[in-house]
Amino acid sequence: MNTLLSRANSLFAFTLSVMAALTLGCILTTAFKDRSAPVSLKVSRVLLKKVEDFTGPRKRSDLGFITFHISADLEKTFDWNVKQLFLYLSAEYSTKSNAVNQVVLWDKILLRGENPKLDLKDVKSKYFFFDDGHGLKGNRNVTLTLSWQVIPIAGILPLVTGSGRVSVPFPDSYEIATAF
Amino acid sequence: MLSLDFLDDVRRMNKRQVRLAAVFAQVPLVLLPLRGLCGPLGQLYYQVLNFGMIVSSALMIWKGLMVITGSESPIVVVLSGSMEPAFHRGDLLFLTNRVEDPIRVGEIVVFRIEGREIPIVHRVLKIHEKQNGHIKFLTKGDNNAVDDRGLYKQGQHWLEKKDVVGRARGFVPYIGIVTILMNDYPKFKYAVLFLLGLFVLVHHSFFNLRGFRFLTISEGAHAQSSSCLSSLAEYRLISSSLVVCGPAQGPASFASSTDALVINRD
């Protein structure tokens, strides 16, 4: 250990091994944690229209509009290895042409340090709720759930679904009015 | 959790690749008895063997990962900032692509668009799955304002399972920066390779440290292996095979077992 180069070399090697050990420690201590939390969802308004799908394949499809309330306490989900939570509200339903349909209506990024208690009212969907066809008309079993993906500082990326869910019954006829 | 279904993947894998990997693994073992060769030719053989072992181990580990995860590229580096603040440029992602896990919204998928070779890491926004399992889905990057339909091929509105390279299951930050640096600055890549080659040539002796058996005869009470390296300063290298210290062996085995000899006079 008598030259600058050999000292720098061993210092560098030591730093790398300590960082690797820390990363491994972070990963192992949080790998099997339960990340779920109770969620309360409520739907205040539902509207159904039939429009040409301007976001993609140009065929006339059912377009739904939903306004909802979300309330959740995600404080327990944050720990030393969580960088952010990616929350998304998704609607899942089944139609004649497709067995499983899932559409994300709204999402939010919750960074570490931000207020983990959510209490949002009258939220409109961020993304257009187009169906692949006409499966929303009269569909009574459209379920809304709030899920989140835990993005760690290092480690596994789990997807967790909140415990609350709400079923949205869609009307049997299309709305002609243009205002929402 | 560990099922033997992955053996089906082995069967489906490119037969040529599997055979190549198996051959790679055998070559060093076949040549191992030849390490008894002395002199510079034996050294060369040993160098080649060492190099071959390292390369084939790396190849085996990579192919093994490919089979276990089911993905053709189990570790990827994030290249763009379209998933910030979750993933930044230079982060490493570990992917799996198991057939029994269906694609669901919210998952981070790495997919390749037809005709383009660079895979994209984005999140699934919408899925429509038919009864027979055929699924079509739409993706969007967290940091993008719109979904990915502008990125897809002309006329393509949905992605399918065949476009998917894998789904992100694990993540380590920053490590991939080296790959990005090497790609963006090819001079850096050549400099690293050149330095590595130089290091191997100049210090190749130190790689032989454990491979070469040798004998040190010390006159005087102490025969220390730790002082051997300091004795290098006093004695010249014997040909190109370097002398290093090791356990002293009995005189009977001396002739057959040593590759080089150091005489250390205290």
Side-chain angles (χ1 to χ4, degrees):
Chain A
M1 279 281 231
N2 44 10
T3 65
L4 184 68
L5 211 58
S6 62
R7 281 180 187 154
N9 182 31
S10 20
L11 194 68
F12 181 62
F14 186 62
T15 314
L16 275 186
S17 13
V18 165
M19 296 225 286
L22 271 178
T23 310
L24 204 65
C26 268
I27 296 175
L28 291 176
T29 48
T30 56
F32 303 110
K33 270 185 84 164
D34 177 27
R35 305 262 190 206
S36 55
V39 168
S40 160
L41 293 171
K42 272 196 278 283
V43 173
S44 64
R45 219 181 134 195
V46 181
L47 198 82
L48 180 64
K49 285 176 146 207
K50 184 163 68 174
V51 196
E52 196 181 276
D53 187 351
F54 46 82
T55 65
R58 292 198 163 271
K59 62 177 195 180
R60 286 185 80 79
S61 315
D62 284 355
L63 174 60
F65 293 89
I66 303 184
T67 320
F68 42 87
H69 312 303
I70 301 180
S71 146
D73 184 6
L74 297 161
E75 189 153 10
K76 282 194 298 122
T77 338
F78 278 97
D79 60 14
W80 59 90
N81 197 20
V82 174
K83 185 160 73 169
Q84 73 173 55
L85 288 185
F86 185 89
L87 305 154
Y88 56 98
L89 185 90
S90 61
E92 179 165 353
Y93 59 99
S94 177
T95 64
K96 274 203 321 280
S97 49
N98 293 311
V100 180
N101 300 278
Q102 285 183 332
V103 183
V104 171
L105 299 178
W106 172 90
D107 56 34
K108 180 176 167 64
I109 292 180
L110 207 64
L111 288 172
R112 203 188 158 112
E114 284 179 11
N115 185 13
K117 299 195 202 312
L118 281 180
D119 193 15
L120 306 163
K121 298 259 183 290
D122 286 323
V123 188
K124 292 212 178 110
S125 54
K126 237 193 213 181
Y127 305 110
F128 288 104
F129 190 173
F130 270 110
D131 181 40
D132 182 35
H134 301 288
L136 287 179
K137 180 168 147 190
N139 197 327
R140 299 280 181 250
N141 271 329
V142 178
T143 317
L144 291 184
T145 45
L146 183 74
S147 318
W148 50 91
Q149 173 151 64
V150 181
I151 313 265
I153 294 180
I156 308 184
L157 295 158
L159 268 177
V160 188
T161 306
S163 54
R165 49 181 60 212
V166 68
S167 199
V168 182
F170 267 86
D172 292 323
S173 58
Y174 295 111
E175 188 82 31
I176 320 287
T178 48
F180 176 62
Chain B
M1 239 169 69
L2 180 70
S3 70
L4 290 176
D5 297 337
F6 72 88
L7 291 175
D8 292 332
D9 290 314
V10 176
R11 266 181 249 125
R12 267 188 266 124
M13 246 173 82
N14 191 344
K15 287 280 189 270
R16 198 176 127 261
Q17 285 181 325
V18 175
R19 259 185 236 125
L20 253 174
V23 165
F24 254 127
Q26 301 303 325
V27 163
L29 295 174
V30 160
L31 290 184
L32 219 48
L34 290 172
R35 72 193 263 243
L37 267 178
C38 295
L41 192 61
Q43 262 189 79
L44 183 65
Y45 249 132
Y46 205 81
Q47 290 286 50
V48 171
L49 230 61
N50 248 343
F51 185 68
M53 287 283 267
I54 294 172
V55 168
S56 55
S57 318
L59 190 68
M60 282 197 296
I61 291 174
W62 185 249
K63 290 293 177 191
L65 262 182
M66 273 174 62
V67 167
I68 292 176
T69 60
S71 158
E72 59 186 46
S73 180
I75 303 179
V76 292
V77 176
V78 176
L79 288 175
S80 73
S82 58
M83 283 293 278
E84 291 190 11
F87 305 137
H88 300 265
R89 256 170 77 87
D91 293 341
L92 220 64
L93 286 177
F94 296 92
L95 311 179
T96 66
N97 196 17
R98 297 184 167 264
V99 189
E100 58 268 18
D101 284 337
I103 300 177
R104 293 288 174 253
V105 282
E107 291 184 340
I108 300 177
V109 290
V110 177
F111 59 92
R112 208 177 261 137
I113 298 176
E114 255 177 277
R116 306 217 198 122
E117 53 167 68
I118 301 194
I120 303 177
V121 184
H122 281 171
R123 201 181 289 272
V124 176
L125 193 71
K126 220 185 195 207
I127 66 161
H128 295 292
E129 182 175 342
K130 291 212 181 300
Q131 195 73 33
N132 57 14
H134 177 260
I135 192 167
K136 61 186 185 187
F137 60 96
L138 177 63
T139 57
K140 173 180 172 292
D142 290 348
N143 211 18
N144 294 346
V146 294
D147 59 34
D148 288 345
R149 285 200 167 118
L151 286 175
Y152 299 165
K153 218 168 60 157
Q154 183 76 339
Q156 181 186 11
H157 295 291
W158 305 97
L159 285 174
E160 287 169 17
K161 239 186 271 199
K162 61 175 173 55
D163 300 312
V164 173
V165 172
R167 256 156 298 163
R169 296 281 182 227
F171 154 78
V172 184
Y174 309 127
I175 305 250
I177 284 275
V178 185
T179 320
I180 291 187
L181 279 177
M182 299 233 272
N183 264 328
D184 286 351
Y185 305 107
K187 292 205 183 113
F188 177 70
K189 178 165 62 177
Y190 299 141
V192 167
L193 287 174
F194 178 68
L195 282 175
L196 266 176
L198 209 64
F199 177 76
V200 166
L201 284 174
V202 168
H203 291 113
H204 77 285
S205 48
F206 290 114
F207 286 162
N208 293 338
L209 253 155
R210 285 181 214 99
F212 270 69
R213 290 159 302 177
F214 52 84
L215 175 68
T216 64
I217 300 174
S218 262
E219 291 185 329
H222 6 270
Q224 328 81 342
S225 37
S226 57
S227 75
C228 194
L229 284 173
S230 64
S231 72
L232 281 178
E234 305 167 288
Y235 296 99
R236 303 211 157 257
L237 305 178
I238 298 177
S239 74
S240 57
S241 78
L242 194 47
V243 293
V244 257
C245 305
Q249 305 195 357
S253 54
F254 160 67
S256 58
S257 63
T258 47
D259 300 308
L261 175 64
V262 173
I263 300 181
N264 183 4
R265 293 177 208 281
D266 283 333

